[in-house]
């Protein structure tokens, strides 16, 4: 049995086509495979968590040595967590207004 070689056209045809989606944080349409959309999805996920779980993911577990337990602060730093908190609150207010 012979396999057809993967050509550029076949590879491109197999990739999903990005959709255009509305970003509440950016106030405009963005592509579903863009960095803006990934950021909005991260903020949306964090907003959906109960407050205690959100704090644990953002700040990490005190004294933790493994990467997962260090939280976002241990990996990206305090400034990134502060920016995420602002974006979470902003998205919460946007969703409240409807």
């Amino acid at each position: 049995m012979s396999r057809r070689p993967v050509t550029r056209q076949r590879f491109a045809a197999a990739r999903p086509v990005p959709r255009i989606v509305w970003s509440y944080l950016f106030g405009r349409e963005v592509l579903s495979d863009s960095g803006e959309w990934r950021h909005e999805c991260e903020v949306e996920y964090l907003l959906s968590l109960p407050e205690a779980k959100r704090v644990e993911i953002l700040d990490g577990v005190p004294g933790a040595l493994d990467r997962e337990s260090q939280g976002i602060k241990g990996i990206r730093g305090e400034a990134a967590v502060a920016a995420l908190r602002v974006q979470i609150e902003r998205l919460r207010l946007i969703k409240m207004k409807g």
Side-chain angles (χ1 to χ4, degrees):
M1 182 181 348
S2 68
R3 296 174 71 184
R4 293 190 304 173
V6 176
T7 62
R8 191 176 281 224
Q9 291 81 14
R10 284 186 57 215
F11 179 75
R15 292 176 51 202
V17 176
R19 297 176 301 128
I20 296 176
V21 291
W22 182 259
S23 169
Y24 291 99
L25 289 176
F26 293 93
R28 61 182 168 82
E29 293 177 335
V30 296
L31 291 174
S32 62
D33 66 349
S34 67
E36 290 108 340
W37 187 246
R38 282 191 299 276
H39 177 69
E40 181 145 350
C41 290
E42 178 182 36
V43 172
E44 176 92 35
Y45 169 72
L46 290 168
L47 178 62
S48 73
L49 294 173
E51 181 67 26
K53 183 67 177 172
R54 184 181 320 136
V55 168
E56 181 182 322
I57 288 176
L58 289 171
D59 296 329
V61 178
L65 298 176
D66 64 320
R67 184 174 172 91
E68 187 174 312
S69 298
Q70 289 178 359
I72 295 173
K73 185 184 285 183
I75 297 168
R76 298 186 204 169
E78 288 186 37
V81 170
L84 275 172
R85 282 196 166 101
V86 168
Q87 295 297 310
I88 291 166
E89 181 60 19
R90 185 166 167 248
L91 186 60
R92 188 185 69 76
L93 292 173
I94 290 170
K95 288 186 169 273
M96 278 179 41
K97 290 179 183 176

